[in-house]
Amino acid sequence: MADLYVQMPSKNEDLYCLIKEYEDSTCHWNFLLEFLSVLPEEVNSQHIQIGDNRRSEVLGEMAQASALVIQLLVKVTGSAGEAMKTKVHALHCLSSWLCSYCFSEECLIQSKLLCFPFSIVTDVVTPISLHSAATECLCSALIAVQELRESRVASILYDSIINLHDAYSISVVLQDFEKSTNYCRLFTEMAESRLVPIISTPNQGFGDLRSLELLLICVDHHNYEMADVTFNFWHRFSEALYKKNNAEITIVFRPYVHRLIMGLGRLCQYDSVMVQEGLPEESADFEEFRRMCVALIKDMVYIIDASAIVVQMVEIMKGLNVNSSWIVAEALLLIVGAIAKYVNCEEMSAVPQILQAITCQPPEANLTMLRTGMRLIAEFGRWINFHPEFLDPCLAFLMHGLHHPKLSTSAAKSIQKLCFHCTKHMHNLISGLFEIIKSTDSLNIDPRACLYLLKASVLILSQKPLEDILKEFEQLCVLQVEPLIKILNEENVIRDDKFKNPIVWLNRLSVIFCHTTPEVPEGRVHPCKNIIIQVWPLLSRCFEKYGSDSRIVERCCHCVQNAIQCLGMSCCDILNPVISQIMVLYRQYPHPCILYLGSVLVDMYGFEQPCVPLLLDMLQALSVPAFKILQENNGAQIHPDTVDKLFTLATRYLQKMTVHFLESSISKQIFLCGMSNLSIYHRDANGSVTKYLVELIKYANDKPESHDFATRHLSIMDLLKNYGADLVQAIIQTSIALPCSLIGNTANILYELLLVDKDWVSKWLQAGLLSLPAQKSGGVITATPQQLETIYVNITSAVELKTFRHALRNLSRLYH
């Protein structure tokens, strides 16, 4: 009924008359309250798309009827008695109307309507459904007054919510977790609504820091889910305080953040039952909470003194009793790991004690404690680089962890991070890593651990003299190539067996190529060139054998991409066979990843004149099958990845070989394809299409002093002369078809068009706006001539890009 009401033209007093008709009929109260509850929600619903004009009409009717709604709610709440369902409906209605900003502040205060939800939340015996409805209502009120700094309603809300501290304490004593959570929501919402004054004027007026005290009391609750409710506020608080960039104000909040960190450290402690059977599952809710705690502390580390916190944690660990020692210590080490990167490298009182305690743990120590210790060593990588005498015991501890199947991934990842931070101290480690990599499969080490070890190895390898790299790089590659050859010689892919799944070995090769980055002086041959050239036929066989398997082809493309980027310009020798291979493959199996590999090749070799004919052939060969896919019924919506990668490829051609691309026979088809897919409802694909069109139009006037300016200017202007009107029409239709979140990309195109030729574009824009429908099928007005004229004037007179975006979003809202 609410849907129908907002979509049909109505007289200004229809809503008022409806309420007046049923306000005294108690048997119709539930129906009326439910209708009034959903009406504000439907006005702003995206799926109805009533347009801004009708939306404004309905909101105007709601504002006109707001005093009557308040009167109805006062009557209902005063007469409902024990009718809990009616009370819940009344609270939902009040909540919904508060969010629509239709009530006047004076009417709300005079009615004392807000006393009703407060009377419910302060009553410890209130049923939870009613308590939750009242909580939701008060949260809506807090959101509604967020921008009203001097509001009387805000003052009433804040004072009343701060006084809920006792009610919260009673709920904790009664172990009523649901009500405690409701109070925590109220405290958090209040703090969020006062965030600006809290940071701008701490402890003054609405900046009262009792809000933070209440949140910290919630963090002290034994259930970690309570603290979870407050996290959004703490992240917003940290971001706002960082932007404030005022040292004096930041220091004011240091004690609060310190208490927060200590509280989180307590909540991150495992229950002994959680870890009695080994390592907890990474996907468990509590593990996610611990990760969120670490992320929050990292977000706020600039507020505290990291070194002082670490020293304090060490002192706490020294005072632990035997029974609780490892569980408490593990949680403290987790917290230390969040701030370890920011500890002063000259700190020598606490960090050595922590590292010694970690590395001296016996092999039979709890697995969770061992894993946390491994991760902490990695976080201290920067500090260890300044104190290399601690490197050997740390590496020995991590190497030992590689032999435990459940710890191998954490140990390998920590080794890789240490290699990143301490590369200059790691040359003696390379032989040991090679031996472990050789044995990873026989030791049943997790495949992810092997990838981390390979990264670690090539990080060290890349720092060696060029003449020393070749042999060890070849050894690493051979270890992956030999199993891959065996798999290629077999008939079928066995995904469940990692030894017979080509993806495992392709990923390992890809990691080797990606992270091998030696400094090769100009004129010297890249030390890895011959080996990669020898590996290419094997990758080619993978393309041929597994061409129909999108996952394997994707990993193979990634491997080729990393190999080419590893060699840089030294890779020209395999450019021809690579392009020939992917041209044939894409015609038969049009996987989007092949288009992306093509864009990498253009990015690398587009400036090289000898490569231009081959790259143009590749463009033709890849574009034609892609067009065929997109021309199918609803092809772009079914294959958004193809749209995304095709226009990423086109943009690379435009950037790297502009004139050759514009003069090619396929460039016009790509332009028309982009224009027809401008309204695709997929963020990445839409971004790629609009980026291509923006780049294309920009090149019409870019760098007029360059030798190719006349040619590209003429080519682009010819396109715009023939299809510019259609492009502007497509931009307008896109603006009313897509949600506002995607309109910004479209505005960029219009902005560039007006820079190229304002007269042309203004005429096209005016014609396009006039062609828009003035009303919907039900008679609801969408856009008046005056509104369209205003949008036209705003666009054609705009100077800044944000003005274009604002104008097109206004147009979008008229039809959504």
Side-chain angles (χ1 to χ4, degrees):
M1 182 174 173
D3 279 357
L4 183 63
Y5 182 86
V6 299
Q7 291 182 79
M8 297 299 292
S10 59
K11 297 178 181 178
N12 286 339
E13 296 186 354
D14 282 357
L15 181 61
Y16 185 92
C17 294
L18 178 67
I19 299 170
K20 203 71 178 169
E21 178 75 22
Y22 294 105
E23 67 171 335
D24 293 323
S25 176
T26 55
C27 64
H28 290 102
W29 275 356
N30 285 336
F31 151 73
L32 184 58
L33 290 170
E34 194 163 353
F35 169 75
L36 293 173
S37 297
V38 298
L39 180 61
E41 297 168 6
E42 296 307 308
V43 170
N44 294 302
S45 172
Q46 287 296 318
H47 75 272
I48 299 180
Q49 297 187 1
I50 59 173
D52 243 10
N53 287 319
R54 177 57 184 158
R55 189 175 296 112
S56 298
E57 284 180 8
V58 178
L59 289 173
E61 293 173 34
M62 289 172 61
Q64 187 178 2
S66 62
L68 191 58
V69 172
I70 289 177
Q71 181 181 316
L72 170 68
L73 290 173
V74 170
K75 186 181 295 185
V76 170
T77 55
S79 309
E82 299 300 317
M84 191 173 72
K85 183 178 179 182
T86 303
K87 290 181 179 180
V88 171
H89 280 316
L91 287 166
H92 286 162
C93 179
L94 177 56
S95 174
S96 187
W97 278 66
L98 284 168
C99 287
S100 67
Y101 303 96
C102 289
F103 290 149
S104 75
E105 186 176 31
E106 194 61 36
C107 285
L108 198 57
I109 292 172
Q110 288 180 0
S111 69
K112 297 184 179 179
L113 193 55
L114 289 176
C115 295
F116 177 60
F118 275 114
S119 68
I120 292 172
V121 295
T122 52
D123 187 353
V124 294
V125 296
T126 301
I128 188 59
S129 60
L130 191 58
H131 196 278
S132 296
T135 301
E136 193 67 43
C137 178
L138 292 173
C139 286
S140 298
L142 286 165
I143 293 170
V145 302
Q146 189 164 342
E147 301 300 325
L148 305 176
R149 301 293 173 225
E150 304 300 326
S151 164
R152 289 168 58 198
V153 173
S155 297
I156 293 170
L157 286 170
Y158 296 158
D159 292 342
S160 301
I161 290 174
I162 282 176
N163 290 330
L164 290 175
H165 171 259
D166 291 341
Y168 169 78
S169 300
I170 293 171
S171 73
V172 173
V173 172
L174 296 175
Q175 297 185 1
D176 193 337
F177 178 70
E178 289 181 283
K179 287 181 183 172
S180 297
T181 304
N182 285 340
Y183 293 124
C184 184
R185 280 190 62 207
L186 285 171
F187 299 154
T188 303
E189 202 64 62
M190 178 179 68
E192 291 206 44
S193 70
R194 299 167 69 164
L195 180 60
V196 173
I198 284 174
I199 290 176
S200 301
T201 55
N203 256 339
Q204 299 175 32
F206 284 172
D208 190 340
L209 295 185
R210 284 182 295 174
S211 302
L212 300 188
E213 293 284 353
L214 289 172
L215 293 187
L216 291 172
I217 289 171
C218 294
V219 173
D220 285 337
H221 194 280
H222 63 85
N223 192 315
Y224 72 88
E225 292 179 26
M226 195 72 69
D228 192 10
V229 174
T230 70
F231 275 16
N232 188 60
F233 165 77
W234 291 116
H235 279 294
R236 286 189 60 203
F237 166 80
S238 175
E239 182 182 5
L241 186 59
Y242 183 79
K243 288 180 178 177
K244 185 74 174 174
N245 193 24
N246 186 313
E248 291 182 6
I249 291 180
T250 300
I251 290 173
V252 171
F253 296 105
R254 184 170 288 179
Y256 295 92
V257 175
H258 186 274
R259 283 174 57 191
L260 173 65
I261 290 173
M262 300 309 293
L264 295 178
R266 181 181 52 77
L267 288 172
C268 285
Q269 294 173 19
Y270 284 111
D271 187 303
S272 56
V273 177
M274 292 182 183
V275 290
Q276 64 184 3
E277 296 182 359
L279 288 173
E281 290 291 332
E282 290 283 348
S283 58
D285 290 343
F286 187 60
E287 289 299 301
E288 176 61 24
F289 172 75
R290 282 164 53 99
R291 285 192 289 271
M292 289 168 61
C293 287
V294 170
L296 177 59
I297 294 170
K298 286 182 176 181
D299 206 25
M300 308 182 85
V301 74
Y302 71 92
I303 302 171
I304 60 171
D305 182 346
S307 298
I309 294 284
V310 171
V311 170
Q312 183 179 357
M313 295 293 188
V314 170
E315 293 304 314
I316 295 173
M317 284 187 274
K318 286 180 180 178
L320 295 176
N321 62 57
V322 176
N323 294 329
S324 64
S325 59
W326 87 260
I327 289 179
V328 178
E330 189 277 337
L332 294 175
L333 291 179
L334 178 77
I335 301 303
V336 170
I339 60 177
K341 290 180 181 178
Y342 308 95
V343 171
N344 193 321
C345 289
E346 296 179 1
E347 203 291 320
M348 288 298 293
S349 61
V351 179
Q353 294 182 62
I354 292 174
L355 293 178
Q356 185 178 8
I358 292 172
T359 55
C360 291
Q361 292 180 91
E364 64 274 10
N366 184 275
L367 292 180
T368 306
M369 185 67 171
L370 291 171
R371 182 179 67 180
T372 302
M374 290 172 181
R375 291 173 175 175
L376 181 53
I377 286 174
E379 296 300 325
F380 274 127
R382 178 172 159 269
W383 187 93
I384 293 172
N385 186 47
F386 278 81
H387 304 280
E389 64 271 19
F390 290 89
L391 185 57
D392 286 344
C394 288
L395 283 173
F397 174 71
L398 295 174
M399 289 290 194
H400 191 272
L402 288 173
H403 297 278
H404 196 296
K406 292 185 177 180
L407 296 175
S408 60
T409 301
S410 295
K413 189 173 183 179
S414 295
I415 289 171
Q416 184 238 317
K417 288 186 175 181
L418 272 187
C419 288
F420 175 79
H421 287 290
C422 311
T423 310
K424 63 182 180 182
H425 305 299
M426 290 289 199
H427 294 305
N428 295 330
L429 181 66
I430 191 74
S431 57
L433 282 176
F434 272 38
E435 291 303 316
I436 293 172
I437 290 169
K438 289 178 184 177
S439 309
T440 51
D441 298 318
S442 60
L443 294 173
N444 198 29
I445 291 176
D446 190 297
R448 292 174 298 169
C450 187
L451 294 179
Y452 290 126
L453 293 175
L454 287 169
K455 290 179 187 178
S457 300
V458 294
L459 281 171
I460 301 170
L461 195 60
S462 296
Q463 302 303 313
K464 287 195 167 191
L466 292 182
E467 54 273 12
D468 297 339
I469 292 177
L470 178 59
K471 183 179 178 182
E472 291 169 338
F473 180 80
E474 184 176 16
Q475 288 177 10
L476 277 179
C477 291
V478 167
L479 289 173
Q480 324 313 320
V481 165
E482 288 179 347
L484 191 55
I485 292 173
K486 291 180 182 178
I487 294 170
L488 284 168
N489 291 334
E490 295 181 0
E491 289 296 323
N492 300 313
V493 178
I494 306 176
R495 290 191 183 277
D496 296 335
D497 186 343
K498 70 177 182 181
F499 299 109
K500 295 185 178 181
N501 187 346
I503 290 177
V504 172
W505 308 102
L506 288 169
N507 282 343
R508 294 183 183 183
L509 274 175
S510 186
V511 163
I512 295 170
F513 297 151
C514 179
H515 295 274
T516 303
T517 54
E519 292 187 12
V520 183
E522 190 174 349
R524 292 285 300 274
V525 177
H526 196 290
C528 308
K529 177 179 178 179
N530 290 334
I531 298 167
I532 289 178
I533 289 175
Q534 292 171 28
V535 170
W536 161 247
L538 188 64
L539 299 177
S540 178
R541 284 184 61 193
C542 287
F543 279 130
E544 292 170 0
K545 182 169 183 176
Y546 306 116
S548 60
D549 191 314
S550 61
R551 283 193 62 206
I552 296 178
V553 170
E554 181 182 1
R555 302 322 302 161
C556 202
C557 284
H558 196 243
C559 191
V560 173
Q561 171 191 331
N562 286 335
I564 288 171
Q565 290 175 335
C566 172
L567 293 185
M569 300 314 298
S570 302
C571 199
C572 290
D573 293 354
I574 63 169
L575 182 63
N576 199 320
V578 168
I579 289 179
S580 300
Q581 179 87 64
I582 65 175
M583 285 163 58
V584 172
L585 183 64
Y586 193 72
R587 277 195 292 269
Q588 190 173 4
Y589 304 109
H591 303 302
C593 58
I594 299 174
L595 295 173
Y596 185 75
L597 176 57
S599 69
V600 172
L601 295 173
V602 176
D603 194 43
M604 292 288 294
Y605 302 106
F607 285 133
E608 298 297 311
Q609 285 302 315
C611 302
V612 166
L614 187 59
L615 292 172
L616 289 174
D617 290 343
M618 181 180 75
L619 175 63
Q620 181 76 26
L622 298 182
S623 299
V624 172
F627 291 152
K628 187 177 180 181
I629 292 170
L630 300 181
Q631 286 165 1
E632 296 172 359
N633 185 30
N634 209 23
Q637 294 296 342
I638 297 172
H639 304 282
D641 286 346
T642 297
V643 178
D644 179 22
K645 301 302 186 290
L646 174 64
F647 285 95
T648 299
L649 175 68
T651 302
R652 291 291 179 272
Y653 273 100
L654 191 60
Q655 292 168 336
K656 299 295 180 178
M657 35 196 296
T658 311
V659 172
H660 294 292
F661 171 70
L662 292 172
E663 291 181 339
S664 68
S665 58
I666 204 74
S667 65
K668 175 184 169 182
Q669 293 174 262
I670 293 176
F671 176 81
L672 295 175
C673 181
M675 196 165 62
S676 63
N677 288 294
L678 196 54
S679 59
I680 185 170
Y681 192 4
H682 184 279
R683 184 169 297 277
D684 291 339
N686 184 274
S688 294
V689 172
T690 52
K691 180 177 173 59
Y692 161 73
L693 290 171
V694 167
E695 291 282 316
L696 176 73
I697 298 163
K698 190 183 292 185
Y699 273 108
N701 288 335
D702 193 41
K703 297 180 181 177
E705 72 282 358
S706 64
H707 68 280
D708 64 350
F709 173 75
T711 306
R712 57 183 161 83
H713 177 80
L714 183 61
S715 299
I716 296 170
M717 294 307 289
D718 280 347
L719 270 178
L720 295 181
K721 184 178 179 180
N722 292 323
Y723 303 105
D726 295 334
L727 178 57
V728 171
Q729 182 67 25
I731 291 170
I732 293 170
Q733 292 300 323
T734 297
S735 299
I736 65 173
L738 292 181
C740 288
S741 58
L742 293 176
I743 299 301
N745 293 334
T746 312
N748 296 349
I749 305 173
L750 193 56
Y751 175 75
E752 294 297 336
L753 279 171
L754 281 162
L755 290 178
V756 170
D757 195 307
K758 189 171 183 177
D759 292 337
W760 281 5
V761 178
S762 297
K763 292 176 183 176
W764 298 334
L765 180 63
Q766 189 171 39
L769 291 172
L770 290 174
S771 69
L772 292 175
Q775 60 182 32
K776 291 182 178 288
S777 55
V780 172
I781 294 174
T782 51
T784 65
Q786 294 80 6
Q787 288 172 323
L788 294 177
E789 179 64 23
T790 300
I791 289 171
Y792 170 77
V793 171
N794 288 341
I795 291 175
T796 53
S797 62
V799 177
E800 296 182 345
L801 178 57
K802 64 181 181 181
T803 310
F804 285 85
R805 291 176 178 169
H806 185 67
L808 285 185
R809 283 175 180 143
N810 285 342
L811 177 63
S812 176
R813 279 190 283 268
L814 291 173
Y815 290 85
H816 277 80

